[in-house]
Amino acid sequence: MTLTRQPAHPSTPAGTDGGKHNVLGVLVDRIDYDGAVDRVLAAARQRRPLSLTALAVHGVMTGVRDPQHRARLNAFDIVAPDGQPVRWALNLLHSAELSEWVSGPELTGRVLRRMAEEDLPVYLYGSTPQVVAELGTALARAYPALRLAGAEPSGFRETSPDELAAIAARINASGARLLLVGLGCPRQEIFVHAMRPLLDLPAMAVGAAFDYHAGRLAPAPRWMQRNGLAWLWRLASEPRRLWRRYLVFNTEYLGRLGAQKLRCWRPQVTEPTSVPAPRVPV
């Protein structure tokens, strides 16, 4: 497949939503906060499926290194640029002229605020029982009008796609208009991709947003975020777990980005797939 850009959705006066672009073979949307929030809320109001993830460098590189996962990512309705390096890639390769990145935790907060204002219930899926409980308490404090239709911690295991039907049935029956999934990258993207055809509501893979909104993680200082150094803040907080993700993947990302820009390497966009992974994290 040689497509590097898919047709854009209409932009609203307040938001940017300029279609998909090839970043190292992964289709990333030229979209900002307002554009992403508008599309999620529209799907929530209309009770229709929509899949969204916000990918930082690590998320993009999981697709670069795994063609099957890349096909799943390219099937997402929205892949938002999470972090300066992914925004820079869109601007450098495709003249996207994006002035901001789309942070997963920040996007989650903006969506939840709108959901509360419109009295649209939310379902939480993922993380540990303790984090889910703390998150529910924190969200009730931050968004008093927000309604939680249900919450399930992760089972920290894998299952076949057939078992997902029971999970989807619970979520659909809860009356939720939005599903937030916090399973970590790439588990959450595999889960959301497999669940999309089973749901009648939008699903967002939000990564560490559960921990941020529960008060367990502190965001990087704004100056570090602006300069693409949020990864260094995370690395300093969890060096043993994250050193390979950031030091190895970031170096490879920059090398591949330079090669794509200089046209020494022309990454092909893998055809999107609707086939779920054989084993899905739950």
Side-chain angles (χ1 to χ4, degrees):
M1 182 178 181
T2 58
L3 176 68
T4 59
R5 179 173 181 172
Q6 293 182 357
H9 289 261
S11 295
T12 64
T16 297
D17 188 356
K20 293 182 175 290
H21 300 263
N22 180 350
V23 176
L24 281 59
V26 176
L27 289 173
V28 181
D29 287 78
R30 177 183 174 266
I31 199 167
D32 63 7
Y33 285 114
D34 289 333
V37 170
D38 286 346
R39 285 180 64 187
V40 171
L41 265 290
R45 294 186 202 105
Q46 298 163 18
R47 290 203 70 119
R48 59 176 170 82
L50 177 141
S51 54
L52 178 148
T53 185
L55 292 188
V57 167
H58 173 244
V60 172
M61 291 305 300
T62 60
V64 170
R65 290 185 164 203
D66 182 346
Q68 292 180 329
H69 188 59
R70 184 162 66 246
R72 291 190 288 269
L73 291 176
N74 289 346
F76 269 64
D77 296 288
I78 303 173
V79 175
D82 186 351
Q84 286 282 43
V86 183
R87 181 185 75 91
W88 289 338
L90 284 170
N91 289 348
L92 179 69
L93 297 172
H94 305 290
S95 302
E97 298 183 349
L98 284 175
S99 61
E100 60 183 2
W101 65 97
V102 180
S103 158
E106 174 68 18
L107 176 62
T108 300
R110 295 189 187 203
V111 168
L112 289 175
R113 187 176 302 113
R114 291 278 297 277
M115 296 291 288
E117 290 171 356
E118 300 190 25
D119 194 29
L120 298 172
V122 176
Y123 201 101
L124 309 176
Y125 190 95
S127 197
T128 66
Q130 185 174 358
V131 170
V132 170
E134 293 173 3
L135 177 60
T137 300
L139 294 182
R141 185 168 54 248
Y143 313 101
L146 181 68
R147 284 197 292 143
L148 291 183
E152 291 186 45
S154 171
F156 293 98
R157 61 186 177 83
E158 293 183 335
T159 186
S160 65
D162 292 342
E163 189 184 346
L164 295 178
I167 299 173
R170 289 197 298 272
I171 296 169
N172 287 330
S174 73
R177 297 296 189 90
L178 172 67
L179 172 64
L180 297 182
V181 180
L183 293 174
C185 176
R187 296 173 70 242
Q188 62 194 8
E189 284 79 20
I190 297 171
F191 178 86
V192 168
H193 175 266
M195 290 290 281
R196 188 190 187 283
L198 306 176
L199 296 174
D200 59 8
L201 66 158
M204 294 173 54
V206 298
F210 279 24
D211 286 321
Y212 280 109
H213 285 278
R216 287 176 162 248
L217 283 177
R222 192 66 179 173
W223 70 267
M224 294 187 80
Q225 295 184 42
R226 283 196 306 268
N227 290 282
L229 296 174
W231 65 272
L232 188 58
W233 176 266
R234 287 292 311 280
L235 177 61
S237 66
E238 299 181 86
R240 288 189 177 182
R241 186 173 76 87
L242 298 177
W243 73 269
R244 185 176 184 275
R245 172 190 297 189
Y246 291 125
L247 298 184
V248 176
F249 278 13
N250 285 14
T251 301
E252 183 178 346
Y253 175 84
L254 292 174
R256 288 180 180 269
L257 178 59
Q260 184 175 352
K261 175 61 178 177
L262 295 173
R263 300 186 179 181
C264 303
W265 173 56
R266 298 178 183 270
Q268 295 298 303
V269 175
T270 304
E271 184 76 35
T273 183
S274 60
V275 179
R279 304 295 294 177
V280 178
V282 295

